[in-house]
Amino acid sequence: MRVSGVGARAYRLPLHRAWDGGVDRNDLVVVRVHTDTGQVGTGFAWTPLIGARAVEALVNDDCPAALVGREAHPALWDELCWHLREAGTSGLTLMAAAGIDIALWDLRARAAGESLVEAVGRRRESVSAYGSGVNLDYPLADLEDQVRRWVGAGHTAVKIKVGSAELSRDVERVGAVRELVGPEGVLMVDANQRWDVPGAARALGALADFDPFFVEEPLPAQDLEAHARLRERTGVPFAIGENLRTVQEFERAVELGVVDVAQPNVVRVGGITPFLRIAESMARRGVPVAPHLLPELSGQLALCLPRVAMVEEIDRASFAELGALARPSGVEFDRGRVRADTGPGHGLVFADTLTPVADHFP
């Protein structure tokens, strides 16, 4: 089975409610890899706001030369990235590689008559999940309503945003959520890189009484040395990784002692192939993985990881809830657990009624 063609198209997915900072949409780049046997694999890239048409162009214009005529297998990932290196070794090029890689894994699984979970290697039937929202700008009452919905759906673990201009606002909000989830509930906070070292130290000191399970991205993601300095000033565990891209970056974070939970995003790191490499590296170093967003795919991969923490169920922003899927994926979140029964491949069939990003430009 050899690659006979590659194509991509970018689509716009309006959010039900804007995320902090005015993020009112997610963009989806659907990638299809065609083969000489007539089989087609589907992959995707994903991004809030920025870069979808650039990824679309990279896939359509630059990826076919590295793929057409080659065996349709995820082992092509390293050669594809080498081919794309003149456009960069991170960022957009990894997102383009992700779309191809996910499609190749889909092809591999379906050619074998297996689900993606079975093709990668199932290790468990279900994984813990947590409710998550981009909610820093929510009024307190709206935040409390959101958390009540998560608790009502069976979640015993939740994550909320912190990093308000006034620390007292964060303290009030985290305290209110702790009351809602109870003393035994798992409460996580995410600062989305908003603090500096002294500000983070003060904030985490003030929030410590609410027993945060971890703080996510307390500082600018690339400044791992700053995280090391903060580590000396707080006992709150760190979760980082949604803005790291390579195995080497994750391993450096472990060396500096600043990652207690690793959070790779399967698209941002370049696809399933490098995601699994990162997960294996983290497992050897005693660090569990909690995949970042993209619950329909992250939930499947979490079932296969050697050392897993939990899966993020993002509030009203899964592909299904954004109307991106033509049918249910087979990935199910229920009572704080995620399971997957997709049939052959990854089960993600994207709707043919989506609005192309190009329609929003003259």
Side-chain angles (χ1 to χ4, degrees), residues 106-275:
D106 185 45
L107 270 171
R108 178 184 178 185
R110 290 196 291 110
E114 297 178 325
S115 69
L116 175 66
V117 174
E118 303 307 329
V120 174
R122 181 187 293 272
R123 295 173 184 261
R124 55 191 65 84
E125 293 299 319
S126 70
V127 173
S128 296
Y130 67 94
S132 173
V134 186
N135 47 30
L136 186 63
D137 63 351
Y138 280 26
L140 179 57
D142 289 2
L143 174 63
E144 290 174 326
D145 287 344
Q146 184 181 54
V147 174
R148 288 190 188 98
R149 281 194 287 106
W150 294 337
V151 172
H155 283 297
T156 58
V158 304
K159 184 177 75 182
I160 68 167
K161 302 297 184 181
V162 292
S164 302
E166 299 295 331
L167 178 55
S168 59
R169 182 175 184 266
D170 282 345
V171 171
E172 178 186 23
R173 292 159 69 84
V174 174
V177 173
R178 171 53 75 194
E179 287 291 324
L180 291 173
V181 301
E184 301 302 318
V186 174
L187 171 57
M188 297 156 280
V189 296
D190 181 358
N192 275 135
Q193 310 181 72
R194 289 184 174 89
W195 292 327
D196 53 27
V197 172
R202 285 194 300 272
L204 293 174
L207 298 176
D209 287 345
F210 304 114
D211 190 25
F213 185 74
F214 64 59
V215 57
E216 183 174 335
E217 287 196 327
L219 303 170
Q222 302 303 319
D223 195 346
L224 298 178
E225 286 74 14
H227 285 77
R229 296 198 304 275
L230 178 61
R231 170 66 85 200
E232 298 173 356
R233 301 176 64 174
T234 181
V236 178
F238 293 170
I240 63 171
E242 70 174 84
N243 287 298
L244 301 182
R245 298 298 195 269
T246 66
V247 172
Q248 292 80 8
E249 288 176 326
F250 280 90
E251 290 177 349
R252 177 61 174 157
V254 175
E255 289 169 6
L256 291 172
V258 299
V259 55
D260 299 293
V261 178
Q263 299 174 303
N265 178 291
V266 65
V267 167
R268 290 175 176 169
V269 301
I272 294 170
T273 297
F275 179 94

Side-chain angles (χ1 to χ4, degrees), residues 281-361:
S281 174
M282 294 298 95
R284 290 194 300 272
R285 291 162 171 81
V287 177
V289 167
H292 174 252
L293 295 186
L294 306 174
E296 283 100 347
L297 184 56
S298 292
Q300 296 182 59
L301 296 176
L303 299 174
C304 308
L305 300 182
R307 190 181 293 270
V308 66
M310 60 188 87
V311 176
E312 183 172 22
E313 185 181 12
I314 184 71
D315 189 34
R316 297 199 302 167
S318 66
F319 286 146
E321 290 169 307
L322 295 179
L325 299 182
R327 63 178 189 234
S329 66
V331 177
E332 181 181 1
F333 288 82
D334 182 55
R335 310 306 298 175
R337 307 287 297 181
V338 59
R339 297 171 177 80
D341 182 11
T342 66
H346 55 47
L348 299 177
V349 179
F350 293 105
D352 57 11
T353 54
L354 300 178
T355 302
V357 169
D359 290 358
H360 295 268
F361 292 85

